[in-house]
DNA sequence: GTGCATGCAAAAATTTTGCACATCA
DNA sequence: TGATGTGCAAAATTTTTGCATGCAC
């Protein structure tokens, strides 16, 4: 999927809701698509402030993108994060609680079970969020060797 | 499990970390145990402000309770929530995106699959959070009948 | 032209931090 | 007594809102 396709889908959504298609909204969608992984509002603002786009508008537009299903919104490591949701396959997150690394995974059996659960309760499935937390293999070893601090790069202070 | 048992476990945790057992920490743990379901910091402060307990201390103590595994912390409906984690069986959450009702469920197959996934990636499992979102059966019907607003009570404005 | 969208600034809401004093071990 | 904990107030963050102006339709 190309950035333009993503923006096009957003345009389609806006039309369907009879909302205006503006240059600002297109810019935000473009930039969201180009973010490497998950990101938060300050991350995005860094890219958009040079275009004179205000944080308030970023919040408002991210909400639209989320409603459109083009963006997923989730909480990870005490921070609200967003992620473009169409350019790559659906996945969930596994986080090391010590060094902060985030592993993306997808699992067919898990997805099927989740869908079943939702149905059993009479709900129509819309979305879900799975965040697993554990200790990665490297940190398990580090923990045994020493009580040292986790590695600096990619450490717990790393943004989501 | 009784409130006193819960507080006792917290005392044990504090001792293990050589932290002080104080009346304030005991009060907070007591109140946490007695909250009906999930709650946020303002909810808890309502109960504790009469004891002159400051929000800052509530935040600090909730972090300890979470580290102790006595409380789960999670995000639901755009709000950071907490939940006492020992008095009742482990469960996940299913939320209606229209009326805001929260259904708690537990599912053995799901838990097992999650544990497997964590292992496959070489992680040691610590915790997880599953939040499913959908449309409950009543809201599915309402949606067909009209484009009316969701019901007022238990509606989207209901706290987590 | 009308109404929605935007930037800006202010406000609100949430969470963290510094510090003097209180409390626990 | 010494170290840790607490309340309070202030600060830092994050998110929302009001409003005048601009832009899409």
């Amino acid at each position: 999927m190309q950035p333009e396709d993503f923006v096009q889908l957003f345009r389609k959504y806006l039309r369907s809701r009879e909302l205006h298609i503006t240059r600002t909204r297109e810019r935000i969608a473009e930039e969201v698509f180009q973010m490497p992984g998950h990101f938060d509002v300050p991350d995005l603002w860094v890219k958009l402030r040079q275009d004179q786009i205000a944080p308030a508008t970023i919040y408002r537009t991210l909400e639209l993108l989320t409603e459109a299903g083009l963006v997923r919104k989730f909480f990870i490591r005490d921070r609200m994060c967003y992620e473009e949701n169409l350019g790559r396959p659906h996945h969930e997150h596994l986080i090391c609680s010590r060094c902060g690394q985030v592993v993306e995974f997808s699992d067919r059996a898990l997805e099927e079970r989740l869908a079943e659960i939702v149905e059993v309760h009479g709900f129509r499935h819309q979305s879900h969020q799975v965040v697993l937390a554990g200790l990665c293999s490297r940190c398990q070893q580090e923990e045994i060797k020493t009580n040292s601090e986790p590695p600096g790069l990619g450490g717990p202070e790393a943004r989501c």
Side-chain angles (χ1 to χ4, degrees), chain A:
Chain A
M1 181 181 265
Q2 295 298 308
E4 177 54 28
D5 300 324
F6 186 79
V7 176
Q8 190 58 45
L9 286 169
F10 190 33
R11 287 199 202 96
K12 187 175 167 186
Y13 175 77
L14 292 172
R15 261 192 297 270
S16 78
R17 286 195 46 189
E18 299 185 317
L19 299 172
H20 292 180
I21 294 165
T22 65
R23 184 72 200 119
T24 298
R25 284 177 175 165
E26 291 179 333
R27 267 298 288 131
I28 294 172
E30 246 170 53
E31 206 56 63
V32 162
F33 189 84
Q34 288 174 57
M35 296 299 280
H38 21 269
F39 58 88
D40 57 20
V41 173
D43 290 337
L44 196 53
W45 195 44
V46 166
K47 308 279 190 174
L48 293 167
R49 61 191 306 178
Q50 56 207 358
D51 298 292
Q52 313 268 56
I53 295 176
T57 306
I58 295 177
Y59 280 104
R60 291 186 275 229
T61 305
L62 281 174
E63 191 168 342
L64 290 173
L65 284 163
T66 304
E67 288 164 8
L70 297 172
V71 160
R72 295 173 82 189
K73 178 180 180 180
F74 53 98
F75 224 75
I76 213 172
R77 294 179 61 71
D78 283 352
R79 190 183 292 273
M80 184 65 82
C81 290
Y82 300 83
E83 176 174 83
E84 177 273 308
N85 196 28
L86 289 180
R88 54 218 181 101
H90 181 75
H91 58 267
E92 311 299 342
H93 298 93
L94 168 59
I95 306 168
C96 176
S97 60
R98 187 164 174 276
C99 72
Q101 74 164 294
V102 179
V103 175
E104 296 180 354
F105 69 90
S106 57
D107 187 271
R108 182 73 175 276
L110 172 64
E111 300 291 326
E112 283 173 3
R113 188 71 197 132
L114 292 175
E116 279 170 25
I117 291 167
V118 174
E119 270 178 40
V120 164
H121 287 87
F123 279 56
R124 184 199 307 158
H125 184 250
Q126 288 179 329
S127 64
H128 58 258
Q129 180 201 118
V130 176
V131 180
L132 309 181
L135 211 58
C136 73
S137 50
R138 192 175 64 171
C139 284
Q140 286 176 44
Q141 294 174 341
E142 295 287 332
E143 203 182 44
I144 295 165
K145 276 194 289 186
T146 80
N147 267 10
S148 70
E149 288 301 300
L153 285 180
E157 68 286 353
R159 303 290 280 276
C160 62

